[in-house]
Amino acid sequence: MSVQAAPPLEERQKPPRRRKRSAALYEVVVPLIATAGLFLLWEGACRAFGIPGYLLPAPTDIWNDTIAIGPTVAGHTMSTFKTVMLGFVVSILISLPLAVILTASPAIAAAVYPFLVWTQSIPKVALAPILVVLLGTNELPRIVITVLVAFFPLVISIATGLLSVPPELIELSRACRASKLSELLRIRLPYAIPFIFAGLKVAISLAVVGAVVAEFVNADAGLGFLIQTSTAFFKVPVAFGALIILSVMGVVLFQIVVAAERVFFPWSSSNTTPGA
């Protein structure tokens, strides 16, 4: 018989408020310090080795050149943000009912899964020009590309969560003559919450990638378009600025999903903090 070691006495004596402060230290302060250290190292290396700005601009040059065209950068940022959010919302609206249908019928799952894998095996950069021809030179092709990039991991995560319910609970619900809808809403979906949010975290990150890929092919606005035009005219600091904004956007949106899970579903098993 295995005996699990008790946590150290000082860990057990930590008050809840102190544990929360420790979690905040790991989640906020440590990443900020690491990021600041990375930028300082980057700045020092550029200055010490005299790296040309058209190859690797220093962070201060990126900041100055990006701020100089701040309103333009803000407009491109809002355009990309709009595409990301529209694609993310549409991917949720498609993924949830599709996952429910796939888990409800093995025959439908066997028929649909190959098509889902097929949509993911097509390079989106190759598909984007075809969508432009089919849908026109508007925002719709960019949203479609974003949805195609983001929805697949969300479907898989939701379907896995819906199938993760212990069979004893399903048998009990059927013994109590619960309807299929009641079984879905009261048993399967609550069990699937950690899986759903795991998929949402992946999907929101991929939505940023999908929006930029679409903007590389067909756009007259957006951070992907700004990166293309900046590099074409050798304004490399502006391109790096757009790249950093994209990274920040992805991190912020990811953390919003994490915060939503903690606020609305604090009992979710994925809410454990590493190192806390």
Side-chain angles (χ1 to χ4, degrees):
M1 182 177 65
S2 61
V3 180
Q4 187 176 4
L9 181 61
E10 58 271 15
E11 282 292 325
R12 285 177 285 163
Q13 290 177 344
K14 275 187 179 180
R17 188 172 299 177
R18 186 177 173 186
R19 284 199 296 269
K20 288 182 180 180
R21 286 199 299 266
S22 177
L25 176 68
Y26 277 101
E27 293 182 354
V28 179
V29 179
V30 173
L32 286 178
I33 293 175
T35 303
L38 175 63
F39 277 103
L40 287 174
L41 183 62
W42 182 356
E43 181 78 22
C46 290
R47 301 303 178 192
F49 297 102
I51 302 175
Y54 59 85
L55 290 180
L56 181 64
T60 52
D61 295 334
I62 296 172
W63 173 264
N64 293 332
D65 289 9
T66 305
I67 291 298
I69 55 170
T72 301
V73 174
H76 288 299
T77 302
M78 291 308 299
S79 177
T80 299
F81 178 76
K82 179 183 176 183
T83 303
V84 169
M85 294 311 299
L86 286 173
F88 180 62
V89 171
V90 172
S91 67
I92 295 174
L93 296 178
I94 294 174
S95 300
L96 184 57
L98 182 58
V100 171
I101 293 172
L102 291 176
T103 55
S105 172
I108 295 177
V112 173
Y113 261 123
F115 291 99
L116 294 179
V117 176
W118 177 66
T119 61
Q120 294 305 299
S121 64
I122 300 175
K124 303 306 180 289
V125 176
L127 182 61
I130 300 175
L131 290 176
V132 172
V133 174
L134 293 175
L135 304 176
T137 56
N138 49 43
E139 193 175 3
L140 184 57
R142 300 196 291 274
I143 296 174
V144 172
I145 289 295
T146 305
V147 172
L148 289 176
V149 172
F151 92 101
F152 183 74
L154 192 52
V155 171
I156 298 301
S157 296
I158 297 175
T160 303
L162 293 175
L163 294 174
S164 67
V165 182
E168 295 83 5
L169 280 180
I170 300 300
E171 292 175 4
L172 179 61
S173 69
R174 291 173 181 173
C176 296
R177 298 182 179 179
S179 64
K180 289 289 185 180
L181 181 61
S182 179
E183 177 186 307
L184 173 66
L185 296 178
R186 297 188 177 185
I187 298 178
R188 292 192 182 274
L189 279 178
Y191 260 87
I193 289 297
F195 295 88
I196 292 173
F197 273 91
L200 289 174
K201 293 168 191 174
V202 176
I204 193 62
S205 302
L206 291 179
V208 177
V209 176
V212 175
V213 168
E215 288 171 355
F216 281 157
V217 177
N218 167 48
D220 55 4
L223 292 172
F225 173 77
L226 180 61
I227 291 173
Q228 272 196 322
T229 55
S230 299
T231 52
F233 292 98
F234 295 97
K235 297 179 180 179
V236 180
V238 176
F240 268 88
L243 185 62
I244 292 172
I245 293 172
L246 281 171
S247 302
V248 172
M249 182 187 298
V251 171
V252 170
L253 292 175
F254 182 92
Q255 291 300 325
I256 289 174
V257 175
V258 172
E261 182 182 14
R262 291 184 176 178
V263 170
F264 296 106
F265 304 98
W267 45 266
S268 174
S269 61
S270 61
N271 277 330
T272 55
T273 304

